[in-house]
Amino acid sequence: MSSIDRAAAQRFAKTFAPVTLPPLTQSAVLRHGHRTRSLHVAKGTDVLVAGNRYDSWYLNHNGWLMRYKVLHSGARQILDFILPGETFGLQACVFRSSLYSVVTITPASLTAIPFDMIETMLEQGLHLSKALLWSAICESARLGEHVIDSSRRSAYERLSHFFLELFVRLKSAGLTVGMSFEAPLTQELIADALGLTAIHVNRTLRCLRQDKLVAMDGKKVTIVDFEALSLLSDFENSYLGEDARALFAR
Amino acid sequence: MSSIDRAAAQRFAKTFAPVTLPPLTQSAVLRHGHRTRSLHVAKGTDVLVAGNRYDSWYLNHNGWLMRYKVLHSGARQILDFILPGETFGLQACVFRSSLYSVVTITPASLTAIPFDMIETMLEQGLHLSKALLWSAICESARLGEHVIDSSRRSAYERLSHFFLELFVRLKSAGLTVGMSFEAPLTQELIADALGLTAIHVNRTLRCLRQDKLVAMDGKKVTIVDFEALSLLSDFENSYLGEDARALFAR
DNA sequence: CGCGGAATTGACGCACTTCAACACGTGTGG
DNA sequence: CCACACGTGTTGAAGTGCGTCAATTCCGCG
């Protein structure tokens, strides 16, 4: 297994078992390493296409990807950004075909883990079973917040909440510097994620800048006033799994 | 274990393993029956309260419940309706405290399954592990559709999609009669679920009735034109797990 | 240099909200 | 048995946040 895979396994361990489990999770993934496939994909590549069948799920090492769907109206909705260290594609294993498409928005190196390995993981490792279950439940939690975002918050609140979530998730992956992070996002992508138009995102971003809450310099985002942002957008990071407990408590 | 628990176990089996697994799932749940608690709660009872800790998850036998959250603005967002045969509360086990509240909207009988039983289930049964994982992934899928609903569909499309989803979920639980079903919902609840106001739900419902797509008589809902509704709301039921495959394929 | 994608700004329209009033059924107490 | 409260449904009028359309500028890159 290449060194990049080892780094990926470490990141996976860190993401999904910050409490007590990193070594076990890591070694368990590594133990089956010979069955996995490494791939390096360019920016803008569709890794999963909605409606197709797949037999692997994916571990994302270092890139940004997004899960999305386009409606018959032509509108595109982004469900989720997949950050370094996170996984995707489990759904495609459960359902006959993938419900959503996944595309890279930066170059990315991935590890594909054959689906039937999940059986093995479930059979052999209690800890891995928990990790899988936990990652699915965390995804639910994020989507739950996303529902609230889309239906009950103003554009101003949505942007606030969005940047805070990104910041906390990137921070737990060690990808922040102070209160800043790099995000390869365009205003159009943000709009598609939050259910707005790029134009309105633009206007709202200007307000956030003027109000000294968020600063943006190209692709670099800085959280200027974490407190104010949290308050106005009902942000509480507990849903991100920062303090997940029970499954890994012992 | 009482007969109501047996019925519940059967419904759980049906919901989470429609393909090949009912007997196993059922017996595995029953095997641990002595550890579970049965409760009967009145309509309007909070079973879970956001922010509190819990050590059980719940199997809902015959009632309707909903998962919701209220923001500091006072707005309430319903994330999910929990129909007969479905479960809830797994999140509360993973996170330090429950992220959302769950309240009954009809009287309901529930079975509380201690959380540490999940460990046992994961250790002992490959099939149960799959069932747990699958139910979490299905929840994600529903929430994903809900995100799309809230951010990219008009009120008219949202209502259409909402009724279709309810219909299909209730049908798979055997709770439909022809193209009709009973739903203990008020317009306000629907509004809170779809991110609209009750007033606008009212107006939109009238349009749906006039357009001969949906009929409502009190609490009885009838899908008049399934085809037209599906088309206009991008409905495809694959995300509801109708055709889930891989995990239960063998 | 010139091209194309992204950001920015303005004017206008509309879907949905907000506020307000009223109708209807159901239960509860006088 | 009526009176009243209360929850739910229904309808109208006015306000607004965000979308749509259109034009201009900025910037990276071949």
Side-chain angles (χ1 to χ4, degrees), chain A residues 10 50 54 56 102 126 137 142 150-151 156 160 167 173-174 177 190 200 205 213 215 227-228 231 243:
Chain A
Q10 276 168 2
Y54 297 93
S56 298
V102 172
L126 172 61
I137 290 175
R142 279 203 309 273
S150 314
S151 41
Y156 196 79
S160 303
F167 177 72
V177 181
I190 298 175
H200 200 64
L205 277 178
L213 297 176
E227 268 307 306
L231 282 177
D243 58 349

Side-chain angles (χ1 to χ4, degrees), chain A residues 72 93-94 130 134 234 246, chain B residues 72 93-94 119 130 134 234 246:
Chain A
H72 77 277
C93 297
V94 173
K130 288 178 179 178
W134 189 34
D234 273 295
Chain B
H72 77 276
C93 297
V94 173
E119 297 246 331
K130 288 178 178 179
W134 189 33
D234 274 294

Side-chain angles (χ1 to χ4, degrees), chain A residues 53-54 69 71-73 75-79 90-97 99-100 115-116 118-119 122-123 126 129-130 132-134 136-141 143-148 150-153 157 191-196 231-234 236 238-241 243-247 250, chain B residues 53-54 69 71-73 75-79 90-97 99-100 115-116 118-119 122-123 126 129-130 132-134 136-141 143-148 150-153 157 191-196 231-234 236 238-241 243-247 250:
Chain A
R53 295 187 62 156
Y54 297 93
K69 184 171 178 178
L71 306 186
H72 77 277
S73 68
R76 174 179 66 175
Q77 177 63 37
I78 298 174
L79 292 171
L90 244 191
Q91 281 199 4
C93 297
V94 173
F95 296 98
R96 197 174 302 280
S97 58
L99 299 174
Y100 309 110
F115 169 51
D116 53 9
I118 293 180
E119 296 246 331
L122 286 178
E123 269 166 0
L126 172 61
S129 304
K130 288 178 179 178
L132 281 176
L133 188 57
W134 189 34
I137 290 175
C138 284
E139 182 182 306
S140 275
L143 285 173
E145 277 305 309
H146 202 157
V147 167
I148 293 174
S150 314
S151 41
R152 288 290 174 216
R153 291 198 255 253
E157 294 166 334
D192 282 351
L194 300 183
L196 300 166
L231 282 177
L232 79 90
S233 71
D234 273 295
E236 19 160 0
S238 57
Y239 75 91
L240 292 173
D243 58 349
R245 56 163 187 111
L247 273 182
R250 37 181 93 169
Chain B
R53 295 186 61 156
Y54 297 93
K69 185 171 179 177
L71 306 187
H72 77 276
S73 68
R76 174 178 67 176
Q77 177 63 39
I78 298 173
L79 292 173
L90 244 191
Q91 282 199 1
C93 297
V94 173
F95 295 99
R96 196 176 301 282
S97 57
L99 300 174
Y100 308 109
F115 169 51
D116 53 9
I118 293 179
E119 297 246 331
L122 286 178
E123 270 165 0
L126 171 62
S129 304
K130 288 178 178 179
L132 281 177
L133 187 58
W134 189 33
I137 290 175
C138 284
E139 184 182 304
S140 276
L143 285 173
E145 277 305 308
H146 201 157
V147 167
I148 294 174
S150 314
S151 40
R152 289 291 174 215
R153 289 199 256 254
E157 294 166 334
D192 282 350
L194 299 183
L196 300 166
L231 282 177
L232 80 90
S233 70
D234 274 294
E236 20 160 2
S238 58
Y239 74 92
L240 292 173
D243 59 352
R245 54 163 189 110
L247 274 181
R250 37 182 94 166

Side-chain angles (χ1 to χ4, degrees), chain A residues 19-166:
Chain A
V19 191
T20 57
L21 225 46
L24 271 171
T25 305
Q26 177 185 352
S27 61
V29 169
L30 289 174
R31 195 180 306 134
H32 301 283
H34 58 98
R35 306 270 321 275
T36 63
R37 247 179 331 125
S38 255
L39 26 160
H40 300 265
V41 292
K43 146 184 184 176
T45 311
D46 278 305
V47 182
L48 265 43
V49 174
N52 288 5
R53 295 187 62 156
Y54 297 93
D55 55 5
S56 298
W57 66 309
Y58 293 85
L59 181 48
N60 166 35
H61 302 175
N62 52 13
W64 283 53
L65 302 87
M66 63 186 200
R67 213 148 56 91
Y68 71 96
K69 184 171 178 178
V70 326
L71 306 186
H72 77 277
S73 68
R76 174 179 66 175
Q77 177 63 37
I78 298 174
L79 292 171
D80 231 329
F81 290 106
I82 297 150
L83 308 184
E86 300 179 340
T87 70
F88 62 95
L90 244 191
Q91 281 199 4
C93 297
V94 173
F95 296 98
R96 197 174 302 280
S97 58
S98 178
L99 299 174
Y100 309 110
S101 300
V102 172
V103 65
T104 50
I105 54 187
T106 69
S109 40
L110 311 172
T111 299
I113 304 168
F115 169 51
D116 53 9
M117 247 185 70
I118 293 180
E119 296 246 331
T120 317
M121 291 165 76
L122 286 178
E123 269 166 0
Q124 298 189 348
L126 172 61
H127 295 292
L128 271 180
S129 304
K130 288 178 179 178
L132 281 176
L133 188 57
W134 189 34
S135 86
I137 290 175
C138 284
E139 182 182 306
S140 275
R142 279 203 309 273
L143 285 173
E145 277 305 309
H146 202 157
V147 167
I148 293 174
D149 230 53
S150 314
S151 41
R152 288 290 174 216
R153 291 198 255 253
S154 68
Y156 196 79
E157 294 166 334
R158 273 184 244 191
L159 263 299
S160 303
H161 194 270
F162 177 70
F163 284 127
L164 289 177
E165 175 177 326
L166 270 189

Side-chain angles (χ1 to χ4, degrees), chain B residues 194-233:
Chain B
L194 299 183
L196 300 166
T197 56
I199 292 127
H200 200 63
V201 167
N202 183 301
R203 285 193 252 264
T204 311
L205 278 178
R206 180 151 52 88
C207 295
L208 283 172
R209 258 181 274 132
Q210 287 172 349
D211 295 349
K212 301 258 186 298
L213 298 176
V214 171
M216 296 191 63
D217 176 27
K219 299 303 179 195
K220 183 178 169 191
V221 179
T222 304
I223 307 289
V224 177
D225 192 336
F226 191 99
E227 267 309 306
L229 287 170
S230 300
L231 282 177
L232 80 90
S233 70

